[in-house]
Amino acid sequence: MNPDFKTVALIGKYQSPDVAAAVLQIGGFLRDRGLQVLIEQGTASSTRLGSGFAVATYDEIGAGADLAVVLGGDGTMLNAARRLAEYGVPLVGVNEGRLGFLTDIARETMETGLGAILGGKGVEAPRFMLDVLVQRGERSVFHTVALNDVVVNKGDIGRMIEFDVRIDGEFVYTQRSDGMIVSTPTGSTAYALSANGPILHPDVVGIALVPLCPHTLTARPITLPDNCTIDIVLQAPHDARVHFDGQERFDARAGDCIRITRSPHHIRLIHPPGYSYFAMLREKLHWSASPRTP
């Protein structure tokens, strides 16, 4: 047993009683191994399992847990990652959703996979995050982090928006489009992929800019170094909506500057032994299953 893992938190899909059986099973599995088990407060409420285990807020999990097991889909993992980013708690994902790019342990094999990780055989994969600041004149009006992407789009209006893009203070172009996706390598297989953005291997320290339906067809996706500052400045009279990992949002006004940089925080994903990024892509994207024999 890995001596670093003494307290393990369980985080389930938001307001989903469907994960109750899996949470109960893993909770018992961990307790039988002498580990302290914490159930995230919202998970305890939705599954009604709080009476059997200690209940903890995200802040308490960040301060006291050595490992967090996330049961759900990628959306559940994204939410947990943002909530726990500042604490550096390692995250393990059990797939109770659809795709499972980030939650890579199957429900049927969760005890085997988690047992191997607890035994010190897991593979740690750090993923960097984005720091987002919205400036309105001289004031900062919003601040958050994102693991997958930051999306500036037209919101509910039925026309294109217009904005300037600046990199490290240098003007790049003025774009008229439905918006822009700013994606990490983790998010390159999410919304950015649907918009014909590049797939970035997790070890690539780059940030992808992917235009959404640009009016100028020569506006192509571009990959930038992770140490740059990206400014998206909305041009009048266009307001816009800014989304963070598809979960949190902010309504920006004409003249606002959405400033995006690499966050000082990162997350620590723990994969079971034998994990392969390319095998995961083959499965999730339905690529050819086996190579041709010579």
Side-chain angles (χ1 to χ4, degrees), residues 14-31:
Y14 179 64
Q15 291 186 344
S16 174
D18 297 337
V19 300
V23 171
L24 183 62
Q25 180 180 344
I26 292 183
F29 174 80
L30 295 170
R31 194 160 49 187

Side-chain angles (χ1 to χ4, degrees), residues 60-267:
E60 290 168 340
I61 289 171
D66 305 306
L67 182 71
V69 180
V70 179
L71 300 98
D74 289 342
T76 310
M77 178 65 82
L78 290 169
N79 180 63
R82 287 198 313 278
R83 302 287 294 271
L84 295 173
E86 63 183 292
Y87 299 104
V89 178
L91 303 173
V92 175
V94 175
N95 186 17
E96 293 271 346
R98 293 189 294 262
L99 287 175
F101 282 95
L102 297 175
T103 50
D104 56 356
I105 297 179
R107 171 74 164 79
E108 298 76 15
T109 61
M110 60 183 182
E111 288 191 7
T112 301
L114 189 55
I117 290 171
L118 294 173
K121 298 179 181 179
V123 179
E124 183 168 333
R127 302 289 183 94
F128 76 81
M129 305 182 77
L130 298 175
D131 190 89
V132 192
L133 184 68
V134 180
Q135 294 181 296
R136 182 168 296 158
E138 299 298 320
R139 295 186 303 123
S140 298
V141 294
F142 187 79
H143 177 254
T144 192
V145 294
L147 173 58
N148 258 5
D149 49 37
V150 179
V151 179
V152 181
N153 70 17
K154 62 184 183 178
D156 294 332
I157 64 175
R159 63 178 185 277
M160 292 182 177
I161 57 175
E162 188 169 319
F163 50 87
D164 290 347
V165 176
R166 297 180 180 270
I167 308 297
D168 291 332
E170 179 181 352
F171 174 76
V172 178
Y173 53 50
T174 298
Q175 184 179 117
R176 295 184 68 239
S177 67
D178 284 355
M180 178 74 80
I181 303 171
V182 183
S183 172
T184 65
T186 302
S188 68
T189 51
Y191 191 13
L193 183 63
S194 300
N196 292 318
I199 294 178
L200 303 180
H201 189 279
D203 291 342
V204 173
V205 283
I207 299 172
L209 290 186
V210 184
L212 284 170
C213 302
H215 186 261
T216 302
L217 299 182
T218 53
R220 309 302 302 165
I222 182 172
T223 302
L224 302 168
D226 69 316
N227 61 354
C228 69
T229 297
I230 302 163
D231 287 339
I232 298 176
V233 182
L234 298 175
Q235 296 301 300
H238 304 285
D239 298 336
R241 187 163 290 161
V242 191
H243 298 264
F244 313 97
D245 290 341
Q247 296 178 338
E248 193 175 4
R249 80 180 194 190
F250 178 80
D251 288 327
R253 301 177 187 171
D256 284 357
C257 173
I258 298 97
R259 174 161 292 176
I260 303 164
T261 58
R262 176 169 174 164
S263 172
H265 303 301
H266 69 278
I267 68 162

